[in-house]
């Protein structure tokens, strides 16, 4: 990550810390994800390797718990109510390269919060409480500061450790009720404004795109 900017410096277009936008590599962590009423499995089965924004991180935890199938009730709930939306999010993320991916509007995840805990070999545990982010409906979020429950504090911690092995975290998620969450059929439309990217004497047009999540 770039050391030229403070993690408190927010990118004026993408609304994330500038060091996140400037980096070409993102760290990998492994998580043991469970709901509050379940015991930890110590499986570290959920792998997080893509850091786009807070909502994407929370979606990744929810999808990872469903894929691992340690909680069959949640697996069934996710596949019934949220799988289509998650598949569409993944498709959008995969088709966008470079910093433009930070501008992808990610729907609110089906989780109220996630408590992410790192247990070091010695000393007190590090705890991060991460909540969904109400992303603006337009491309340029005009965010000037980071909320305290954003995912970037966790990412900053992981990078600062410079661990030679994947860090492991206990994660307890507070799932939203499907009846109370945003319906999967809700459409989120986002137009990427026409931009011109100049590289020397060449220029490329980034055409308008419209993102639709749900049916």
């Amino acid at each position: 990550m770039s050391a030229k900017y403070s993690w408190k410096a927010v990118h004026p277009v993408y609304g994330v810390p500038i060091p996140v936008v400037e980096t070409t590599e993102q760290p990998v962590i492994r998580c043991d994800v469970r709901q509050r009423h379940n015991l930890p499995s110590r499986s570290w089965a959920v792998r997080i390797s893509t850091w786009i924004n807070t909502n994407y991180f929370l979606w990744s935890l929810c999808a990872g718990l469903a894929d691992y199938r340690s909680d069959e009730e949640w697996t069934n709930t996710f596949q019934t109510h949220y799988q289509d939306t998650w598949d569409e999010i993944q498709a959008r993320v995969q088709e966008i390269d470079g910093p433009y991916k930070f501008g992808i509007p990610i729907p609110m995840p089906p989780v109220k919060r996630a408590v992410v805990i790192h247990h070091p070999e010695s000393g007190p545990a590090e705890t991060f409480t991460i909540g969904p982010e109400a992303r603006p409906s337009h491309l340029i979020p005009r965010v000037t500061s980071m909320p305290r429950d954003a995912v970037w504090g966790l990412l900053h911690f992981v990078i600062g450790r410079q661990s030679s092995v994947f860090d492991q975290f206990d994660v307890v998620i507070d799932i939203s009720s499907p009846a109370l969450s945003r319906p999967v059929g809700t459409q989120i439309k986002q137009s990427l404004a026409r931009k011109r990217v100049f590289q020397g004497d060449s220029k490329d047009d980034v055409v308008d795109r419209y993102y639709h999540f749900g049916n």
Side-chain angles (χ1 to χ4, degrees):
M1 292 285 177
S2 172
K4 292 191 300 181
Y5 295 97
S6 164
W7 277 74
K8 294 181 180 180
V10 180
H11 194 282
V13 174
Y14 303 113
V16 303
I18 291 179
V20 177
V21 178
E22 289 202 331
T23 187
T24 57
E25 297 181 0
Q26 294 188 326
V28 177
I29 64 172
R30 294 192 179 277
C31 301
D32 178 23
V33 185
R34 61 185 173 90
Q35 294 195 59
R36 289 183 300 172
H37 57 269
N38 293 334
L39 295 174
S41 65
R42 293 294 183 265
S43 62
W44 323 112
V46 180
R47 184 177 185 270
I48 303 295
S49 59
T50 302
W51 305 78
I52 293 178
N53 59 36
T54 298
N55 286 355
Y56 187 83
F57 174 77
L58 294 172
W59 270 102
S60 299
L61 294 178
C62 293
L65 178 59
D67 288 343
Y68 185 57
R69 309 188 75 90
S70 61
D71 184 338
E72 286 294 338
E73 181 179 359
W74 171 243
T75 297
N76 294 334
T77 297
F78 188 87
Q79 292 176 346
T80 300
H81 296 278
Y82 307 114
Q83 187 68 58
D84 289 345
T85 301
W86 174 240
D87 290 344
E88 293 180 29
I89 292 171
Q90 290 288 80
R92 302 311 182 203
V93 168
Q94 292 172 9
E95 72 181 13
I96 301 295
D97 293 326
Y100 294 113
K101 64 178 176 288
F102 296 108
I104 299 175
I106 306 296
M108 293 287 284
V111 61
K112 298 176 183 177
R113 68 186 61 84
V115 178
V116 183
I117 307 170
H118 181 264
H119 297 281
E121 293 182 0
S122 62
E126 291 283 347
T127 302
F128 303 86
T129 300
I130 299 172
E133 180 182 13
R135 299 286 290 180
S137 60
H138 44 80
L139 174 64
I140 303 179
R142 304 186 189 282
V143 178
T144 58
S145 63
M146 289 291 103
R148 296 183 63 181
D149 56 354
V151 73
W152 307 121
L154 170 62
L155 179 59
H156 192 191
F157 169 78
V158 173
I159 293 171
R161 280 177 47 76
Q162 298 182 336
S163 176
S164 59
V165 297
F166 295 151
D167 275 317
Q168 297 177 337
F169 293 84
D170 288 325
V171 181
V172 180
I173 55 177
D174 190 356
I175 297 293
S176 303
S177 167
L180 298 176
S181 64
R182 189 175 209 161
V184 173
T186 298
Q187 291 190 340
I188 297 181
K189 301 180 180 180
Q190 179 63 49
S191 172
L192 286 181
R194 182 175 296 275
K195 300 178 181 290
R196 293 186 183 276
V197 181
F198 293 91
Q199 295 179 342
D201 294 331
S202 66
K203 57 185 177 181
D204 299 316
D205 285 335
V206 180
V207 299
D208 294 346
R209 298 174 183 265
Y210 292 85
Y211 296 112
H212 305 266
F213 292 98
N215 300 322

